[in-house]
Amino acid sequence: MSYITKEELLEKIFHDDFEHLKKKKLRMTRLRVPGKEICLAHVMNPSESCIYENLGLHIGVHEGEDHTGESIGLMRFTPWEAVVVAADIALKSADIEIGFMDRFCGSLIITGGLSQVQTAVEEVVRFFHDDLHFNTCEIHKN
């Protein structure tokens, strides 16, 4: 991977106008335009309790619970608010629990038995693809 300097970037963006812009204060703004997609769908069956602890699945509403041996489903959505619909679909399709849901960045973590988590993730991806016409990724299993 090659990197370019800020000056090289500005020159590529502004072409001929770059000479006129030199020595002037410029403000660059980055923005993200979310599409309709599921960009991560992953099912894993970890055996180490540190994974659950690092994901924060042992604090908050889950304080004192031991999730060791449970499977974890990870999903990421844009637009971010779609995570609320995904959580609803997941809960209605399988016997799982919501481990974490963030409607401000589109992350959803579910926990439960391996077959239940797989069923929930598959149904969420199917619903978003078939009914809501989202771009979806493949479901990865580990």
Side-chain angles (χ1 to χ4, degrees):
M1 175 181 257
S2 63
Y3 295 95
I4 62 174
T5 66
K6 180 175 68 173
E7 288 76 21
E8 290 170 328
L9 173 65
L10 291 172
E11 190 167 349
K12 282 186 175 204
I13 293 172
F14 296 109
H15 304 294
D16 298 331
D17 292 336
F18 183 68
E19 287 301 318
H20 303 305
L21 295 172
K22 281 185 179 177
K23 306 274 189 217
K24 293 186 179 179
K25 285 188 176 184
L26 299 175
R27 186 176 107 183
M28 293 187 76
T29 304
R30 288 188 212 174
L31 62 109
R32 179 179 171 161
V33 180
K36 290 173 39 176
E37 72 175 345
I38 299 176
C39 55
L40 170 69
H42 187 78
V43 176
M44 60 188 205
N45 200 15
S47 58
E48 300 295 324
S49 62
C50 66
I51 294 173
Y52 304 94
E53 291 170 9
N54 286 324
L55 287 172
L57 297 176
H58 69 297
I59 60 174
V61 296
H62 302 286
E63 186 172 3
E65 294 179 13
D66 183 11
H67 292 278
T68 305
E70 290 185 356
S71 292
I72 298 172
L74 305 168
M75 291 177 274
R76 176 89 162 73
F77 302 85
T78 56
W80 306 309
E81 299 82 3
V83 74
V84 178
V85 175
D88 181 54
I89 298 297
L91 285 169
K92 289 177 179 173
S93 64
D95 184 22
I96 53 97
E97 288 188 36
I98 302 298
F100 178 77
M101 178 175 69
D102 187 348
R103 69 182 191 275
F104 300 109
C105 66
S107 299
L108 178 64
I109 300 174
I110 60 174
T111 61
L114 179 58
S115 64
Q116 296 296 313
V117 169
Q118 284 179 332
T119 298
V121 171
E122 288 168 0
E123 182 57 21
V124 167
V125 171
R126 186 213 59 77
F127 177 80
F128 274 77
H129 183 268
D130 295 349
D131 297 356
L132 299 180
H133 308 291
F134 273 48
N135 292 323
T136 57
C137 64
E138 290 183 30
I139 300 171
H140 297 276
K141 298 173 185 167
N142 182 354

